[in-house]
Amino acid sequence: MPSPETTTSAGSADKPFAIVACFEAPEPLLHALEELRDLGYRDFDAHTPFPVHGIERAMGLKDSKVPYLSLLGGLTGLVGGMALQIWTMGYDYPLNLSGKPFVAWQAYIPIGFETTVLLTAFGTFFGMWGLNKLPRFFHPVMQAEAFPKASDDRFLVSVESSDPRFDPERVRELFKAQGAATIEEVQP
């Protein structure tokens, strides 16, 4: 296997923002991620053209909190929708309709369902944006020459210099050992 080519993008400062490695297949990417995780790195990320099964485990990621935010939104919608109707029809503006009780909860189910669905969707959408720190219109790793290939046919791993264990030479050696096609320094 030929030695990976090493390049520098966007200037030449003393310490790069990140080291980016480009892999041609998902298997070497997973092995590189597992090794980074096992060595104690935390500020690294993977960029792939399609979902790669097992990438969360390889990176050591915890389970998502989005389902809990969705549940919280749904419960808020259900309780809020039902409470609004019960208060409005039973206490604030009671109407005697055909002799039915003031709080006829069976009639409130459709609106309770709709507010549940609405606030579940809001909890999911805004929870995902908040946990992923979106919107992010630019990130320095996007300057890497190989970055556009991550949406086509290549698999990238980036290790940021903010990681306490970051050592550019050690990271390059790790990527070379895992069979990276290219290794690139990205400047801030």
Side-chain angles (χ1 to χ4, degrees), residues 30-131:
L30 289 173
H31 294 304
L33 292 171
E34 288 169 350
E35 192 161 342
L36 286 168
R37 177 200 66 206
D38 293 343
L39 290 173
Y41 286 87
R42 292 182 308 204
D43 294 341
F44 64 96
D45 204 355
H47 312 277
T48 63
F50 54 82
V52 177
H53 297 289
I55 202 167
E56 300 91 357
R57 189 173 10 119
M59 292 179 69
L61 297 177
K62 297 177 183 170
D63 289 338
S64 175
K65 294 180 177 82
V66 173
Y68 300 111
L69 296 173
S70 300
L71 177 64
L72 180 65
L75 291 175
T76 302
L78 177 63
V79 170
M82 295 299 279
L84 174 68
Q85 294 174 92
I86 289 169
W87 176 260
T88 303
M89 294 300 293
Y91 301 101
D92 195 31
Y93 194 72
L95 290 176
N96 189 349
L97 302 172
S98 304
K100 295 178 185 168
F102 290 125
V103 180
W105 64 268
Q106 297 87 347
Y108 305 158
I109 290 176
I111 292 183
F113 173 77
E114 293 298 330
T115 55
T116 301
V117 171
L118 178 69
L119 291 185
T120 299
F122 282 168
T124 303
F125 181 77
F126 292 113
M128 178 73 84
W129 273 51
L131 292 173

Side-chain angles (χ1 to χ4, degrees), residues 95-167:
L95 290 176
N96 189 349
L97 302 172
S98 304
K100 295 178 185 168
F102 290 125
V103 180
W105 64 268
Q106 297 87 347
Y108 305 158
I109 290 176
I111 292 183
F113 173 77
E114 293 298 330
T115 55
T116 301
V117 171
L118 178 69
L119 291 185
T120 299
F122 282 168
T124 303
F125 181 77
F126 292 113
M128 178 73 84
W129 273 51
L131 292 173
N132 289 330
K133 300 174 187 154
L134 295 175
R136 181 183 292 177
F137 300 110
F138 177 77
H139 192 274
V141 171
M142 293 178 186
Q143 297 180 89
E145 289 179 27
F147 195 81
K149 295 178 183 179
S151 64
D152 187 20
D153 63 350
R154 295 292 186 262
F155 303 86
L156 274 60
V157 178
S158 60
V159 180
E160 296 183 13
S161 61
S162 59
D163 194 297
R165 302 187 62 87
F166 183 78
D167 177 15

